[in-house]
């Protein structure tokens, strides 16, 4: 599928989702394209509901996409707000003058999940050392390989470990979002780098456990950006500003407790 067709398909999916929830014609629709982790982990579902409750004239239509695709949608004029987690791509987007407002709104963390016995042997080691051992021992590893912030962090760890996993028999590429990639890792009894909220949402059904690595280098900051030139720029700016406000931070904290029982996304 070409880029133009892909953009149209993703936007159509988001608009269809909004139609199913009964968005009335007199409400202002703001298209929010966010990392799939935020959608799979359900945080954004709770937070946008709080925002809409306070602004009955606004409807936030959320589309999940990897960071690279989210910013491509924004460049094509098909997103009003983006919420992503790839600092390098975000800085380029800002430097090109495409963001009306950019704000770091919360941060979570990544974990390495894997089969209990193998994951247990990696407790306390660095991510770089864990990846190096996985490669040396040929353990299965499942990767998104989809232009997401998660994949970017994974690739950086492989680079620091001095390993190129591409085309290795033990390295499985899904080219899909976090939820599906976690499912594949579960089915294959494999390791996977996963944002902790998605892992907690999946629960014990995966059969995988947190390897409890040294957390250094596994932080996962998210940045919200109001896209310059959006036809609903006032509402886009208002939503991004709200995310960083006291009300927005309180909404994120409540969602954390309701969904995960702990503060996974730190405002």
């Amino acid at each position: 599928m070409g880029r133009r067709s892909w953009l149209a398909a993703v936007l159509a999916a988001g608009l269809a989702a909004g139609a199913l929830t009964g968005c009335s014609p007199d409400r202002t629709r703001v298209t929010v394209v966010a990392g799939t982790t935020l959608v799979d982990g359900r945080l954004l579902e709770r937070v946008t509901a709080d925002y809409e409750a306070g602004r009955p004239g606004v409807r936030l239509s959320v589309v999940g996409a990897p960071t690279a695709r989210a910013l491509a949608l924004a460049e094509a004029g098909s997103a009003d707000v983006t919420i992503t987690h790839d600092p390098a791509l975000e800085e380029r987007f800002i430097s090109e003058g495409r963001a009306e407002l950019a704000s770091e709104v919360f941060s979570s963390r990544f974990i390495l999940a894997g089969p209990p016995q193998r994951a247990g042997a990696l407790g306390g080691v660095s991510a770089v050392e864990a990846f190096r051992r996985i490669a040396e021992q040929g353990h299965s590893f499942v990767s998104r390989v989809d232009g997401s912030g998660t994949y970017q962090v994974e690739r950086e760890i492989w680079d620091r470990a001095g390993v190129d996993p591409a085309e290795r028999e033990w390295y499985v590429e899904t080219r899909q979002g976090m939820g599906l990639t976690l499912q594949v890792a579960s089915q294959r009894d494999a390791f996977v780098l996963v944002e902790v909220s998605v892992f907690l949402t999946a629960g014990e059904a995966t059969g995988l456990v947190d390897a409890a690595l040294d957390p250094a280098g596994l932080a996962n900051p998210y940045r919200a950006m109001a896209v310059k030139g959006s036809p609903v720029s006032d509402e886009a700016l208002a939503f991004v500003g709200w995310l960083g406000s006291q009300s927005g931070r309180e909404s994120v904290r409540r969602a954390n407790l309701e969904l995960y029982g702990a503060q996974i996304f730190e405002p």
Side-chain angles (χ1 to χ4, degrees), residues 1 7 33 40 69 120 171 199 201 203 225 243 250 260 263:
M1 181 182 293
L7 292 173
V33 185
D40 292 341
R69 294 180 180 176
Y171 190 70
F199 183 73
T201 300
M225 295 188 286
L243 283 172
E250 289 175 357
Y260 321 117
Q263 293 299 317

Side-chain angles (χ1 to χ4, degrees), residues 19-20 23 34 49 61 74 76-77 90 99-100 102 118-119 128 135 143 156 190 221 229 233 236 241 257 261:
L20 290 173
C23 181
S61 293
E90 292 156 6
E100 189 76 23
R118 293 173 183 171
V128 170
S143 173
E156 291 171 358
S233 60
L257 292 176

Side-chain angles (χ1 to χ4, degrees), residues 4 22 30 60 125 179:
R4 188 182 301 274
V30 179
L60 301 176
V125 308

Side-chain angles (χ1 to χ4, degrees), residues 12-260:
L15 293 178
L20 290 173
T21 56
C23 181
S24 62
D26 58 342
R27 298 173 77 182
T28 301
R29 184 191 302 275
V30 179
T31 301
V32 180
V33 185
T36 59
T37 292
L38 295 176
V39 177
D40 292 341
R42 298 182 59 203
L43 179 88
L44 205 53
E45 172 189 324
R46 299 296 182 89
V47 172
T48 55
D50 282 350
Y51 184 77
E52 289 175 346
R55 298 178 74 91
V58 176
R59 173 67 188 174
L60 301 176
S61 293
V62 178
V63 178
T67 292
R69 294 180 180 176
L71 297 181
L73 275 170
E75 291 176 12
S78 297
D80 305 306
V81 173
T82 59
I83 307 177
T84 54
H85 58 144
D86 187 329
L89 289 182
E90 292 156 6
E91 289 296 336
R92 186 176 71 183
F93 189 85
I94 293 168
S95 70
E96 291 173 348
R98 299 182 184 276
E100 189 76 23
L101 174 65
S103 175
E104 291 189 8
V105 288
F106 41 72
S107 179
S108 64
R109 62 187 175 89
F110 293 107
I111 63 169
L112 179 67
Q117 186 173 6
R118 293 173 183 171
L122 298 174
V125 308
S126 69
V128 170
E129 178 60 23
F131 277 42
R132 186 178 293 122
R133 292 185 192 180
I134 289 169
E136 290 173 351
Q137 296 167 19
H139 295 317
S140 295
F141 189 104
V142 177
S143 173
R144 292 175 61 170
V145 192
D146 64 346
S148 63
T150 301
Y151 174 60
Q152 180 62 29
V153 170
E154 181 208 312
R155 188 172 65 177
E156 291 171 358
I157 296 172
W158 285 122
D159 287 345
R160 295 202 303 273
V163 176
D164 180 2
E167 298 182 4
R168 301 284 188 96
E169 290 185 2
W170 47 265
Y171 190 70
V172 180
E173 301 178 1
T174 67
R175 302 187 183 275
Q176 299 292 331
M178 193 72 262
L180 188 145
T181 299
L182 183 59
Q183 290 177 31
V184 173
S186 172
Q187 294 164 359
R188 291 176 174 260
D189 215 23
F191 284 99
V192 60
L193 186 71
V194 56
E195 201 280 330
V196 68
S197 71
V198 180
F199 183 73
L200 293 175
T201 300
E204 298 179 357
T206 65
L208 305 178
V209 300
D210 179 358
L213 303 180
D214 181 333
L218 294 176
N220 184 28
Y222 282 87
R223 180 179 283 165
M225 295 188 286
V227 180
K228 184 174 290 187
S230 162
V232 291
S233 60
D234 288 347
E235 292 297 346
L237 287 166
F239 177 57
V240 172
W242 178 83
L243 283 172
S245 72
Q246 182 65 26
S247 295
R249 291 194 295 271
E250 289 175 357
S251 175
V252 171
R253 292 189 183 99
R254 282 196 304 272
N256 271 289
L257 292 176
E258 292 171 4
L259 291 168
Y260 321 117

